[in-house]
């Protein structure tokens, strides 16, 4: 792991202006106004510093953001005072009332005639805390820069305010330096409040249609790609195949690695040193790239809080060297809520696997309380087993969606009960466990929680079914449904003879895509969380092979689904503390936490033993929930194991923007140094990456496309206009090419005659010494 560590920037900042020492003043304009013709020539050092830091940020970071470094939101209640921002901004009712109180405190010290002249100015200035662009107006986009005392004002507006109400400056801020420098000097004052990008100054920011168009909606680039952001949650994982929560109000995250180890992550971001479960000596996994065997599934019982039961799905080899899938039940240790009891394992079901690929692996509980199991078709290619293949054969459990009741036992001795409404219970030629069939290898399925208010969509099960040669598909599972494989692949025929004879009642995908989009789908989740309300109802998924992230939006009128790409890492959209601009390419799985927030897991090197996997959380930079709405208090859990603090390895967007520019220094000019930005808005150079040749590794087993990988030991960069540098997780950055001294180069360039004379003198000395 050659990527450097760095400290995580704190993303909580409480904003508050100091209350000035008030005295009654007359704010009428004075005939003796002082002005300056010297431009930006400040006698106060702090003013010069403020402008320097302002220019450092420049227009690159101009995006909707509040003073606490978070995105704006829709206030839950009407704003009485700063009503211009009651539909979308940075103030809730409590903050609005606080600003109103400050306004009336100030107005108490202004004579009645001044009320009419200056009241609107003072209100507008105070209410800029509520603007969706408040962070830009106050230089709060970067937590490393000092906060402005007053918002950025456009020069004409500022001049009018200063001319009419300059004496009110001492009431708006208690900063003595500003009062001394600027109360009587309009030019100095307005230069101090000047913004580098005049589109964002007040009141221009209100009139700019480009900035206010679709404000608060998910940001789209010119190609329609949804601009979302990520935070790094965990790293150093060996092919993380899943993350689940126990639904016990502890808000712990259980992350499983393909080798058979489950880790516990606490709400504070730390990981427990001792794993929740370690069965890697039993699990069948190899270091081969793309090998699909291993620990594949896990689900907590709906009543885990009371019975401590959970279920796992993994590959293993029996005593006769036969490869099998095992689904079993375990319990948590009574003495430690963060440790499972491996001796409590109770086998529920075992399936013999005819090939090493297409092992399925998903376990989940539906809203009906039953457990759903998703098996692969047995492997190889084209489901070659029997006359119609395993998937179409209801007498086998391979290539199916199974449903069982883990809280009962069958009369025939099975350690589970068959739900009485399973669709093929009365069919003597079908296994009673079968709930749906005709699936190839569903990789990652999820239950829709439903709309937070209307509950629409609740209980739907979405799955990504990996295709053979042409199409990947997204399905919604229905009872008794036939999903077509091997007769069909996506919307098209695969086995022509079977396809022509197949039922017209086959369940078609809600979406399918071809090889021009991706090669191996990874099913995702419908977002139903609280923190990013814009994403509600979006089904977010990805492609394992090319690292593409996508979203489906349902048209309620036509019931059709529209696909949009998701782009991660725009430096403009994601310039928030903690946000990162890249992720590891191979998307293994998606997850949601107990609060409904959405995550995904990926790796830069898809081997079960390679510790290059990471866990990321999605963030919508355009809009968040109102402050306080998404707060929850996790139930505390006693921990006996040592806590390992999380150390991020990926540089944040702000870290990258704050790195010294690698561009050539500008030529000397009359512009003050403070006005020259030190961050370039041009694309950063890509760090060279290293590709590992497949020939140097053990060959992957034949079958699913996941085995046809030329592993790329580099993080994935989504296609977008603005890119930032990222260091490979698996290889050290190559040494920089040696360069001649910049001093010598400059001397030769600037003083060619002197350099030539010096060279001639050196030759003469050498001749004499001979």
């Amino acid at each position: 792991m050659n990527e450097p560590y760095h400290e995580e920037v704190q993303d909580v900042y409480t904003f508050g202006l100091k209350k000035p020492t008030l005295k009654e003043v007359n704010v009428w304009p004075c005939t003796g106004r002082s002005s300056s013709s010297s431009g930006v020539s400040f006698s106060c050092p702090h003013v010069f510093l403020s402008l320097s830091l302002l220019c450092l940020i420049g227009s690159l970071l101009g995006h909707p953001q509040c003073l606490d470094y978070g995105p704006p939101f829709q206030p839950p209640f009407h704003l009485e005072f700063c009503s211009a921002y009651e539909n979308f901004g940075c103030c809730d009712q409590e903050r609005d009332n606080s600003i109103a109180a400050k306004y009336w405190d100030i107005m108490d010290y202004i004579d009645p005639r001044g009320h009419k002249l200056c009241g609107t100015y003072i209100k507008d200035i105070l209410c800029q805390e509520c603007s969706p662009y408040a962070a830009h107006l106050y230089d709060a986009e970067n937590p490393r820069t000092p906060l402005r005392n007053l918002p950025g004002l456009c020069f004409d507006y500022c001049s009018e305010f200063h001319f009419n109400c300059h004496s009110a400056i001492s009431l708006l801020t208690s900063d003595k330096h500003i009062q001394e420098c600027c109360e009587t000097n309009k030019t100095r004052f307005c230069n101090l409040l000047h913004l580098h990008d005049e589109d964002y100054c007040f009141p221009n920011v209100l009139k700019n249609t480009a900035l206010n168009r679709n404000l608060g909606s998910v940001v789209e680039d010119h190609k329609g790609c949804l601009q979302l952001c990520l935070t790094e949650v965990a790293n150093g994982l060996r092919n993380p195949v899943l993350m689940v929560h126990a639904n016990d109000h502890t808000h712990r995250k259980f992350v499983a690695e393909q080798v058979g180890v489950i880790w516990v992550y606490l709400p504070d971001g730390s990981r427990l040193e001792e794993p929740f479960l370690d069965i890697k000596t039993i699990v069948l996994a190899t270091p081969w790239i793309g090998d699909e065997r291993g620990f594949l599934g896990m689900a907590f019982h709906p009543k885990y809080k009371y019975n401590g039961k959970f279920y796992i799905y993994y590959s293993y080899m029996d005593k006769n060297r036969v490869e099998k899938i095992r689904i079993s039940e375990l319990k948590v240790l009574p003495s430690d809520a963060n440790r499972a009891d491996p001796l409590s394992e109770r086998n529920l079901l075992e399936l013999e696997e005819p090939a090493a690929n297409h092992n399925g692996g998903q376990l989940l509980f539906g809203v009906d309380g039953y457990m759903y199991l998703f098996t692969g078709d047995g492997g190889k290619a084209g489901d070659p087993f029997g006359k119609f293949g395993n998937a179409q054969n209801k007498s086998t459990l391979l290539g199916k969606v199974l449903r069982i009741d883990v809280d009962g036992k069958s009369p025939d001795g099975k350690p589970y009960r068959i739900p009485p409404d399973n669709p093929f219970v009365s069919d003597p030629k079908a296994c009673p466990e079968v709930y749906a069939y005709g699936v190839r290898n569903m990789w990652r399925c999820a239950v829709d929680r439903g709309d937070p208010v209307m509950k629409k969509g609740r209980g739907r099960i979405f799955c990504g079914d990996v295709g053979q040669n042409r199409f990947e598909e997204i399905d919604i599972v229905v009872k008794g449904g036939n999903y077509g494989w091997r007769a069909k692949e996506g919307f098209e025929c695969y086995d022509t003879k079977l396809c022509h004879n197949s039922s017209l009642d086959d369940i078609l995908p809600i979406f399918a895509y071809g090889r021009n989009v991706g090669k191996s789908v990874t099913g995702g989740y419908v977002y139903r969380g609280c923190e990013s309300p814009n994403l509600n109802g979006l089904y977010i998924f990805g492609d394992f092979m090319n690292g593409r992230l996508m979203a489906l939006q349902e048209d309620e009128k036509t019931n059709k689904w529209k696909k949009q790409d998701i782009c991660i890492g725009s430096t403009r959209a994601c310039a928030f503390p903690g946000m990162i601009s890249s992720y590891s390419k191979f998307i293994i799985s998606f997850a949601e936490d107990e609060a409904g927030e959405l995550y995904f897991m990926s790796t830069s090197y898809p081997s079960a033993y390679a510790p290059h996997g990471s866990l990321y959380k999605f963030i919508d930079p355009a809009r968040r929930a109102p402050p306080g709405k998404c707060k929850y208090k996790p139930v505390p859990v006693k921990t006996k194991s040592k806590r390992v603090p999380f150390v991020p390895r990926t540089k944040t967007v702000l870290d990258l923007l704050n790195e010294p520019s690698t561009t050539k220094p500008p030529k000397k000019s009359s512009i003050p140094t403070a006005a020259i930005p030190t961050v370039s808005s041009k694309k950063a150079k890509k760090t060279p990456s290293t590709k590992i040749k497949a020939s140097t590794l053990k060959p992957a087993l034949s079958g699913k496309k996941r085995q046809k990988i030329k592993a790329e030991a580099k993080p994935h960069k989504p296609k977008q206009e603005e890119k930032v540098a990222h260091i490979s997780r698996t290889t050290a950055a190559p040494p920089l090419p040696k360069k001649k001294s910049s001093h010598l180069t400059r001397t030769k360039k600037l003083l060619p005659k002197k350099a030539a004379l010096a060279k001639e003198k050196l030759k003469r000395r050498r001749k004499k010494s001979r």
Side-chain angles (χ1 to χ4, degrees), residues 6-13 61 63-71 135 140-145 229-232 571-580 619 621 650-655 657-658:
H6 63 83
E7 294 297 323
E8 187 176 32
V9 180
Q10 294 295 320
D11 59 355
V12 178
Y13 190 97
L61 298 186
H63 62 290
Q65 186 177 344
C66 300
L67 294 177
D68 61 357
Y69 308 123
E141 287 170 313
N142 191 333
R144 298 178 182 178
T145 62
C229 304
L230 299 175
T231 57
E232 185 183 15
T571 52
R572 175 180 287 271
C574 297
F576 292 91
M579 302 296 175
I580 61 174
I619 303 290
T650 306
K651 289 187 177 182
T652 67
V653 171
L654 290 180
D655 287 333
L657 291 172
N658 284 322

Short mmCIF file of all heavy atoms in Angstrom, two decimals, residues 6-13 61 63-71 135 140-145 229-232 571-580 619 621 650-655 657-658:
data_model
loop_
_atom_site.label_atom_id
_atom_site.label_comp_id
_atom_site.label_asym_id
_atom_site.label_seq_id
_atom_site.Cartn_x
_atom_site.Cartn_y
_atom_site.Cartn_z
N HIS A 6 -3.27 10.80 5.05
CA HIS A 6 -3.38 12.23 5.37
C HIS A 6 -4.48 12.40 6.39
O HIS A 6 -5.32 11.53 6.59
CB HIS A 6 -3.66 13.07 4.11
CG HIS A 6 -4.96 12.75 3.45
ND1 HIS A 6 -6.16 13.29 3.87
CD2 HIS A 6 -5.26 11.91 2.43
CE1 HIS A 6 -7.13 12.83 3.14
NE2 HIS A 6 -6.62 11.98 2.25
N GLU A 7 -4.48 13.53 7.06
CA GLU A 7 -5.48 13.80 8.08
C GLU A 7 -6.80 14.21 7.43
O GLU A 7 -6.81 14.92 6.44
CB GLU A 7 -5.01 14.94 9.00
CG GLU A 7 -3.79 14.57 9.84
CD GLU A 7 -4.09 13.44 10.80
OE1 GLU A 7 -5.20 13.39 11.34
OE2 GLU A 7 -3.21 12.60 11.01
N GLU A 8 -7.89 13.75 7.99
CA GLU A 8 -9.21 14.10 7.46
C GLU A 8 -9.62 15.47 7.98
O GLU A 8 -9.49 15.77 9.15
CB GLU A 8 -10.24 13.05 7.89
CG GLU A 8 -11.59 13.27 7.23
CD GLU A 8 -12.57 12.17 7.57
OE1 GLU A 8 -12.46 11.62 8.68
OE2 GLU A 8 -13.43 11.88 6.74
N VAL A 9 -10.10 16.29 7.08
CA VAL A 9 -10.52 17.64 7.45
C VAL A 9 -11.85 17.58 8.18
O VAL A 9 -12.76 16.88 7.78
CB VAL A 9 -10.66 18.51 6.18
CG1 VAL A 9 -11.10 19.91 6.55
CG2 VAL A 9 -9.34 18.56 5.43
N GLN A 10 -11.97 18.29 9.27
CA GLN A 10 -13.24 18.35 9.99
C GLN A 10 -14.26 19.09 9.15
O GLN A 10 -13.98 20.12 8.58
CB GLN A 10 -13.05 19.08 11.32
CG GLN A 10 -12.15 18.33 12.30
CD GLN A 10 -12.76 17.02 12.73
OE1 GLN A 10 -13.96 16.94 12.95
NE2 GLN A 10 -11.94 15.99 12.83
N ASP A 11 -15.48 18.50 9.06
CA ASP A 11 -16.48 19.11 8.20
C ASP A 11 -17.61 19.77 8.98
O ASP A 11 -18.69 19.94 8.48
CB ASP A 11 -17.05 18.06 7.24
CG ASP A 11 -17.68 16.90 7.97
OD1 ASP A 11 -17.60 16.88 9.20
OD2 ASP A 11 -18.28 16.04 7.29
N VAL A 12 -17.36 20.11 10.21
CA VAL A 12 -18.36 20.82 11.00
C VAL A 12 -17.81 22.18 11.37
O VAL A 12 -16.73 22.28 11.92
CB VAL A 12 -18.71 20.04 12.29
CG1 VAL A 12 -19.71 20.81 13.11
CG2 VAL A 12 -19.27 18.67 11.94
N TYR A 13 -18.53 23.20 11.01
CA TYR A 13 -18.08 24.55 11.31
C TYR A 13 -19.28 25.35 11.76
O TYR A 13 -20.26 25.46 11.04
CB TYR A 13 -17.44 25.21 10.08
CG TYR A 13 -16.75 26.50 10.39
CD1 TYR A 13 -15.38 26.54 10.59
CD2 TYR A 13 -17.47 27.68 10.50
CE1 TYR A 13 -14.74 27.73 10.88
CE2 TYR A 13 -16.84 28.88 10.79
CZ TYR A 13 -15.46 28.89 10.97
OH TYR A 13 -14.84 30.06 11.26
N LEU A 61 -14.30 27.04 -7.22
CA LEU A 61 -15.10 26.42 -6.17
C LEU A 61 -16.47 27.05 -6.01
O LEU A 61 -17.13 26.84 -5.01
CB LEU A 61 -14.34 26.50 -4.83
CG LEU A 61 -12.99 25.78 -4.79
CD1 LEU A 61 -12.44 25.82 -3.38
CD2 LEU A 61 -13.12 24.35 -5.26
N HIS A 63 -19.93 27.01 -6.00
CA HIS A 63 -21.02 26.06 -6.09
C HIS A 63 -21.90 26.21 -4.87
O HIS A 63 -21.48 26.75 -3.86
CB HIS A 63 -20.48 24.63 -6.18
CG HIS A 63 -19.69 24.19 -4.99
ND1 HIS A 63 -18.44 24.70 -4.69
CD2 HIS A 63 -19.98 23.31 -4.00
CE1 HIS A 63 -18.00 24.14 -3.58
NE2 HIS A 63 -18.91 23.30 -3.13
N PRO A 64 -23.16 25.77 -4.94
CA PRO A 64 -24.05 25.92 -3.78
C PRO A 64 -23.48 25.22 -2.55
O PRO A 64 -23.18 24.03 -2.58
CB PRO A 64 -25.34 25.25 -4.26
CG PRO A 64 -25.30 25.33 -5.74
CD PRO A 64 -23.85 25.18 -6.09
N GLN A 65 -23.32 25.99 -1.48
CA GLN A 65 -22.75 25.44 -0.25
C GLN A 65 -23.04 26.39 0.90
O GLN A 65 -23.05 27.61 0.72
CB GLN A 65 -21.24 25.23 -0.40
CG GLN A 65 -20.59 24.53 0.78
CD GLN A 65 -19.11 24.27 0.56
OE1 GLN A 65 -18.62 24.34 -0.57
NE2 GLN A 65 -18.39 23.97 1.62
N CYS A 66 -23.29 25.83 2.06
CA CYS A 66 -23.62 26.63 3.24
C CYS A 66 -22.39 26.87 4.11
O CYS A 66 -21.31 26.34 3.84
CB CYS A 66 -24.70 25.93 4.06
SG CYS A 66 -26.24 25.68 3.13
N LEU A 67 -22.57 27.64 5.16
CA LEU A 67 -21.44 28.02 6.00
C LEU A 67 -20.96 26.88 6.90
O LEU A 67 -19.91 26.98 7.50
CB LEU A 67 -21.81 29.23 6.86
CG LEU A 67 -22.06 30.52 6.07
CD1 LEU A 67 -22.50 31.64 6.99
CD2 LEU A 67 -20.82 30.93 5.29
N ASP A 68 -21.74 25.80 6.99
CA ASP A 68 -21.26 24.63 7.73
C ASP A 68 -20.62 23.62 6.79
O ASP A 68 -20.42 22.47 7.16
CB ASP A 68 -22.41 23.98 8.51
CG ASP A 68 -23.53 23.49 7.61
OD1 ASP A 68 -23.44 23.70 6.38
OD2 ASP A 68 -24.49 22.90 8.13
N TYR A 69 -20.33 24.05 5.56
CA TYR A 69 -19.65 23.27 4.53
C TYR A 69 -20.53 22.20 3.90
O TYR A 69 -20.03 21.37 3.15
CB TYR A 69 -18.35 22.62 5.07
CG TYR A 69 -17.44 23.62 5.73
CD1 TYR A 69 -17.04 23.44 7.06
CD2 TYR A 69 -17.01 24.75 5.06
CE1 TYR A 69 -16.22 24.36 7.68
CE2 TYR A 69 -16.19 25.67 5.68
CZ TYR A 69 -15.80 25.47 6.99
OH TYR A 69 -14.99 26.38 7.60
N GLY A 70 -21.82 22.20 4.18
CA GLY A 70 -22.73 21.24 3.58
C GLY A 70 -23.52 21.87 2.45
O GLY A 70 -23.56 23.09 2.28
N PRO A 71 -24.21 21.04 1.64
CA PRO A 71 -25.07 21.57 0.57
C PRO A 71 -26.27 22.30 1.14
O PRO A 71 -26.65 22.09 2.30
CB PRO A 71 -25.51 20.30 -0.19
CG PRO A 71 -24.56 19.23 0.23
CD PRO A 71 -24.14 19.57 1.63
N ALA A 135 -21.47 29.99 1.30
CA ALA A 135 -20.06 29.64 1.50
C ALA A 135 -19.16 30.42 0.56
O ALA A 135 -18.07 30.85 0.93
CB ALA A 135 -19.85 28.14 1.31
N ALA A 140 -16.20 30.46 2.76
CA ALA A 140 -16.26 29.31 3.66
C ALA A 140 -16.22 27.99 2.91
O ALA A 140 -16.44 26.94 3.50
CB ALA A 140 -17.54 29.38 4.50
N GLU A 141 -15.93 28.01 1.60
CA GLU A 141 -15.90 26.76 0.85
C GLU A 141 -14.73 25.89 1.25
O GLU A 141 -14.78 24.68 1.12
CB GLU A 141 -15.85 27.07 -0.65
CG GLU A 141 -17.17 27.57 -1.17
CD GLU A 141 -17.08 28.09 -2.59
OE1 GLU A 141 -16.14 28.86 -2.87
OE2 GLU A 141 -17.94 27.76 -3.38
N ASN A 142 -13.68 26.51 1.74
CA ASN A 142 -12.53 25.75 2.19
C ASN A 142 -12.35 26.00 3.68
O ASN A 142 -12.12 27.14 4.10
CB ASN A 142 -11.28 26.21 1.43
CG ASN A 142 -10.09 25.29 1.66
OD1 ASN A 142 -10.00 24.63 2.70
ND2 ASN A 142 -9.20 25.23 0.70
N PRO A 143 -12.44 24.95 4.52
CA PRO A 143 -12.32 25.16 5.96
C PRO A 143 -10.94 25.64 6.40
O PRO A 143 -10.76 26.03 7.55
CB PRO A 143 -12.62 23.77 6.54
CG PRO A 143 -12.35 22.82 5.42
CD PRO A 143 -12.68 23.55 4.17
N ARG A 144 -9.97 25.63 5.48
CA ARG A 144 -8.62 26.06 5.84
C ARG A 144 -8.42 27.57 5.68
O ARG A 144 -7.38 28.10 6.02
CB ARG A 144 -7.59 25.32 4.99
CG ARG A 144 -7.63 23.82 5.20
CD ARG A 144 -6.65 23.11 4.30
NE ARG A 144 -6.72 21.66 4.48
CZ ARG A 144 -6.00 20.79 3.81
NH1 ARG A 144 -5.14 21.21 2.90
NH2 ARG A 144 -6.14 19.49 4.02
N THR A 145 -9.41 28.24 5.11
CA THR A 145 -9.29 29.68 4.94
C THR A 145 -10.16 30.40 5.98
O THR A 145 -11.20 29.88 6.38
CB THR A 145 -9.75 30.11 3.54
OG1 THR A 145 -11.13 29.77 3.37
CG2 THR A 145 -8.94 29.43 2.46
N CYS A 229 -21.15 12.76 -5.43
CA CYS A 229 -19.85 12.77 -4.77
C CYS A 229 -19.73 11.54 -3.87
O CYS A 229 -20.71 10.86 -3.57
CB CYS A 229 -19.68 14.04 -3.94
SG CYS A 229 -19.88 15.56 -4.90
N LEU A 230 -18.52 11.29 -3.40
CA LEU A 230 -18.25 10.14 -2.55
C LEU A 230 -17.47 10.56 -1.32
O LEU A 230 -16.73 11.55 -1.34
CB LEU A 230 -17.42 9.09 -3.30
CG LEU A 230 -18.01 8.47 -4.57
CD1 LEU A 230 -16.97 7.55 -5.21
CD2 LEU A 230 -19.29 7.72 -4.27
N THR A 231 -17.63 9.78 -0.26
CA THR A 231 -16.70 9.84 0.87
C THR A 231 -16.14 8.43 1.07
O THR A 231 -16.84 7.44 0.85
CB THR A 231 -17.38 10.30 2.17
OG1 THR A 231 -18.48 9.42 2.47
CG2 THR A 231 -17.90 11.72 2.04
N GLU A 232 -14.89 8.37 1.44
CA GLU A 232 -14.26 7.07 1.70
C GLU A 232 -14.60 6.65 3.12
O GLU A 232 -14.40 7.39 4.07
CB GLU A 232 -12.74 7.20 1.53
CG GLU A 232 -11.99 5.90 1.66
CD GLU A 232 -10.48 6.10 1.57
OE1 GLU A 232 -10.02 7.26 1.69
OE2 GLU A 232 -9.77 5.10 1.39
N THR A 571 -14.60 18.57 -9.75
CA THR A 571 -13.97 19.44 -8.77
C THR A 571 -14.85 20.60 -8.37
O THR A 571 -14.72 21.16 -7.28
CB THR A 571 -12.62 19.97 -9.29
OG1 THR A 571 -12.83 20.55 -10.59
CG2 THR A 571 -11.60 18.87 -9.40
N ARG A 572 -15.76 21.01 -9.26
CA ARG A 572 -16.68 22.09 -8.91
C ARG A 572 -17.79 21.55 -8.02
O ARG A 572 -18.11 22.13 -6.99
CB ARG A 572 -17.28 22.72 -10.17
CG ARG A 572 -18.34 23.77 -9.86
CD ARG A 572 -18.90 24.38 -11.14
NE ARG A 572 -17.96 25.27 -11.78
CZ ARG A 572 -17.88 26.57 -11.51
NH1 ARG A 572 -18.66 27.12 -10.60
NH2 ARG A 572 -17.02 27.34 -12.14
N ALA A 573 -18.38 20.41 -8.41
CA ALA A 573 -19.53 19.89 -7.67
C ALA A 573 -19.13 19.29 -6.32
O ALA A 573 -19.90 19.34 -5.37
CB ALA A 573 -20.25 18.85 -8.51
N CYS A 574 -17.93 18.73 -6.22
CA CYS A 574 -17.55 17.97 -5.03
C CYS A 574 -16.50 18.65 -4.16
O CYS A 574 -15.79 17.99 -3.41
CB CYS A 574 -17.06 16.58 -5.43
SG CYS A 574 -18.32 15.57 -6.24
N ALA A 575 -16.41 19.97 -4.27
CA ALA A 575 -15.43 20.70 -3.45
C ALA A 575 -15.97 20.93 -2.04
O ALA A 575 -16.16 22.06 -1.60
CB ALA A 575 -15.07 22.02 -4.13
N PHE A 576 -16.24 19.85 -1.35
CA PHE A 576 -16.71 19.87 0.04
C PHE A 576 -15.70 19.11 0.89
O PHE A 576 -15.05 18.18 0.40
CB PHE A 576 -18.07 19.18 0.18
CG PHE A 576 -19.21 19.90 -0.48
CD1 PHE A 576 -19.57 19.65 -1.78
CD2 PHE A 576 -19.95 20.84 0.24
CE1 PHE A 576 -20.63 20.29 -2.38
CE2 PHE A 576 -21.02 21.50 -0.36
CZ PHE A 576 -21.35 21.23 -1.67
N PRO A 577 -15.59 19.43 2.16
CA PRO A 577 -14.69 18.68 3.04
C PRO A 577 -15.04 17.19 3.06
O PRO A 577 -16.21 16.82 3.16
CB PRO A 577 -14.93 19.32 4.41
CG PRO A 577 -15.39 20.70 4.10
CD PRO A 577 -16.21 20.58 2.86
N GLY A 578 -14.03 16.37 2.93
CA GLY A 578 -14.21 14.92 3.00
C GLY A 578 -14.59 14.25 1.70
O GLY A 578 -14.59 13.02 1.61
N MET A 579 -14.93 15.03 0.65
CA MET A 579 -15.34 14.44 -0.62
C MET A 579 -14.12 14.03 -1.44
O MET A 579 -13.11 14.73 -1.46
CB MET A 579 -16.17 15.42 -1.44
CG MET A 579 -17.41 15.93 -0.74
SD MET A 579 -18.57 14.60 -0.41
CE MET A 579 -19.80 15.50 0.52
N ILE A 580 -14.24 12.89 -2.11
CA ILE A 580 -13.14 12.41 -2.94
C ILE A 580 -13.55 12.38 -4.40
O ILE A 580 -14.74 12.45 -4.74
CB ILE A 580 -12.65 11.01 -2.51
CG1 ILE A 580 -13.78 9.98 -2.61
CG2 ILE A 580 -12.10 11.06 -1.09
CD1 ILE A 580 -13.33 8.55 -2.33
N ILE A 619 -22.97 10.83 -1.92
CA ILE A 619 -23.44 12.11 -1.40
C ILE A 619 -23.95 12.94 -2.58
O ILE A 619 -23.29 13.03 -3.61
CB ILE A 619 -22.31 12.89 -0.69
CG1 ILE A 619 -21.70 12.08 0.44
CG2 ILE A 619 -22.85 14.24 -0.17
CD1 ILE A 619 -22.60 11.87 1.64
N PRO A 621 -24.26 16.51 -3.87
CA PRO A 621 -23.72 17.83 -3.52
C PRO A 621 -24.70 18.97 -3.77
O PRO A 621 -24.43 20.10 -3.38
CB PRO A 621 -22.51 17.96 -4.45
CG PRO A 621 -22.91 17.18 -5.67
CD PRO A 621 -23.73 16.02 -5.16
N THR A 650 -7.39 8.04 0.24
CA THR A 650 -7.64 8.79 -0.99
C THR A 650 -7.69 10.28 -0.66
O THR A 650 -8.39 10.69 0.26
CB THR A 650 -8.97 8.36 -1.63
OG1 THR A 650 -8.95 6.94 -1.82
CG2 THR A 650 -9.17 9.04 -2.97
N LYS A 651 -6.97 11.07 -1.43
CA LYS A 651 -6.99 12.50 -1.19
C LYS A 651 -8.34 13.10 -1.55
O LYS A 651 -8.95 12.71 -2.54
CB LYS A 651 -5.89 13.19 -2.02
CG LYS A 651 -4.48 12.90 -1.52
CD LYS A 651 -3.46 13.73 -2.27
CE LYS A 651 -2.06 13.50 -1.72
NZ LYS A 651 -1.06 14.34 -2.41
N THR A 652 -8.79 14.03 -0.74
CA THR A 652 -10.06 14.69 -1.02
C THR A 652 -9.88 15.72 -2.13
O THR A 652 -8.76 16.11 -2.47
CB THR A 652 -10.60 15.39 0.23
OG1 THR A 652 -9.73 16.48 0.57
CG2 THR A 652 -10.68 14.42 1.41
N VAL A 653 -11.01 16.18 -2.66
CA VAL A 653 -10.96 17.21 -3.70
C VAL A 653 -10.29 18.46 -3.16
O VAL A 653 -9.46 19.08 -3.85
CB VAL A 653 -12.39 17.54 -4.19
CG1 VAL A 653 -12.39 18.76 -5.09
CG2 VAL A 653 -12.99 16.35 -4.93
N LEU A 654 -10.60 18.84 -1.93
CA LEU A 654 -9.98 20.05 -1.36
C LEU A 654 -8.49 19.86 -1.15
O LEU A 654 -7.71 20.80 -1.34
CB LEU A 654 -10.66 20.41 -0.04
CG LEU A 654 -12.10 20.94 -0.15
CD1 LEU A 654 -12.66 21.27 1.22
CD2 LEU A 654 -12.16 22.18 -1.05
N ASP A 655 -8.06 18.66 -0.77
CA ASP A 655 -6.62 18.39 -0.64
C ASP A 655 -5.93 18.60 -1.98
O ASP A 655 -4.86 19.21 -2.07
CB ASP A 655 -6.38 16.95 -0.17
CG ASP A 655 -6.72 16.75 1.28
OD1 ASP A 655 -6.65 17.72 2.05
OD2 ASP A 655 -7.08 15.61 1.66
N LEU A 657 -6.99 20.37 -4.56
CA LEU A 657 -7.04 21.77 -4.97
C LEU A 657 -6.06 22.64 -4.20
O LEU A 657 -5.59 23.65 -4.70
CB LEU A 657 -8.46 22.32 -4.79
CG LEU A 657 -9.52 21.75 -5.75
CD1 LEU A 657 -10.91 22.21 -5.33
CD2 LEU A 657 -9.24 22.17 -7.18
N ASN A 658 -5.75 22.23 -2.97
CA ASN A 658 -4.84 23.01 -2.15
C ASN A 658 -3.37 22.65 -2.36
O ASN A 658 -2.49 23.27 -1.80
CB ASN A 658 -5.17 22.82 -0.66
CG ASN A 658 -6.41 23.61 -0.26
OD1 ASN A 658 -6.62 24.72 -0.73
ND2 ASN A 658 -7.23 23.04 0.59
#
